[in-house]
Amino acid sequence: MSSILILFATTEGHTARIAERIAQRLRDKRHEVEIHRADAVPAGLEPAGHDGVIVGSSIHYGHHPRFLNALVRRLRTALTARPSAFFSVSLSAGGARPKPEAARRYLETFLRQVDWHPAQTATFAGALQYSKYGVFKRLLMRMIAGIAGDDTDMTRDYEYTDWNAVDRFADEFAQRLKQA
Ligand SMILES: Cc1cc2nc3c(=O)[nH]c(=O)nc-3n(C[C@H](O)[C@H](O)[C@H](O)COP(=O)(O)O)c2cc1C
């Protein structure tokens, strides 16, 4: 049994669901998991007490949230010293017309900026959650979705995540821990 730390950055909550899914999958494999929002990390939290660390974040307006850069830079030594992984959540990674190159570019730009090179990375398709947006964001997202050929019916939400891919990501991480 290993101890795993998961940190996630979310705005509308979908990355939280993905992070929780990974946590549950790892717990089902008898690992101990500690999970926190990356913008509410307990004071003094140190990955040193964990065997592995997973960080995940969604994309808004073309980048991951700035505070995540500072957090990953602060934890970089500890992240580099143990198995670590990063996943990025966006609409580019899924939807009606996926743009996998754009999704990869968000992820790689971030990792380059923070100078962290985890052995395992993934891009997951996110969600269009019209019900969670204010008036301005709803109209903006409908316009963007329309241009991208995505779903524009604002009376419902859309989820594009491939949950099997999320499970495979968790399984691969567990495998890496075993080999570490
Ligand atoms: C205001 C806004 C801006 C977004 N900008 C982008 C973007 O630039 N590229 C992209 O691929 N997805 C973009 N997305 C899609 C989000 O990454 C997607 O909705 C994701 O599921 C959000 O995850 P969260 O609920 O964890 O924040 C945007 C979403 C919103 C609401």
Side-chain angles (χ1 to χ4, degrees):
M1 187 189 77
S2 298
S3 163
I4 299 160
L5 175 65
I6 301 180
L7 302 174
F8 64 91
T10 186
T11 302
E12 285 95 25
H14 193 69
T15 306
R17 294 184 59 209
I18 294 177
E20 288 290 354
R21 171 84 167 221
I22 293 169
Q24 193 50 54
R25 185 88 176 174
L26 292 168
R27 286 183 183 123
D28 289 347
K29 292 178 185 294
R30 311 252 167 269
H31 295 297
E32 206 172 82
V33 181
E34 183 178 349
I35 180 165
H36 298 287
R37 286 182 67 106
D39 56 353
V41 168
L45 177 92
E46 267 305 327
H50 299 275
D51 302 303
V53 186
I54 298 174
V55 179
S57 167
S58 59
I59 288 286
H60 284 79
Y61 303 113
H63 55 77
H64 297 95
R66 300 286 180 218
F67 69 81
L68 198 65
N69 292 45
L71 182 68
V72 168
R73 282 206 186 95
R74 181 165 73 74
L75 302 180
R76 190 173 47 212
T77 306
L79 290 175
T80 307
R82 51 192 40 74
S84 63
F86 178 69
F87 66 89
S88 172
V89 178
S90 67
L91 282 181
S92 298
R97 287 188 221 146
K99 295 167 217 67
E101 315 78 31
R104 268 328 284 184
R105 208 160 42 240
Y106 294 139
L107 179 146
E108 280 158 17
T109 302
F110 171 73
L111 294 178
R112 202 169 45 245
Q113 282 168 350
V114 296
D115 193 20
W116 173 38
H117 309 284
Q120 189 184 347
T121 61
T123 59
F124 295 130
L128 254 179
Q129 301 191 90
Y130 289 113
S131 67
K132 297 208 171 157
Y133 307 148
V135 177
F136 171 75
K137 222 191 249 189
R138 288 180 102 195
L139 293 174
L140 175 72
M141 291 310 289
R142 188 180 64 170
M143 190 185 81
I144 291 172
I147 293 167
D150 276 330
D151 298 295
T152 52
D153 176 0
M154 295 195 299
T155 63
R156 50 159 295 195
D157 293 345
Y158 299 88
E159 179 190 285
Y160 307 107
T161 310
D162 176 349
W163 293 104
N164 291 327
V166 174
D167 289 344
R168 285 197 299 276
F169 178 85
D171 293 351
E172 185 185 331
F173 193 73
Q175 197 57 36
R176 279 175 192 280
L177 279 176
K178 220 187 271 179
Q179 290 159 357

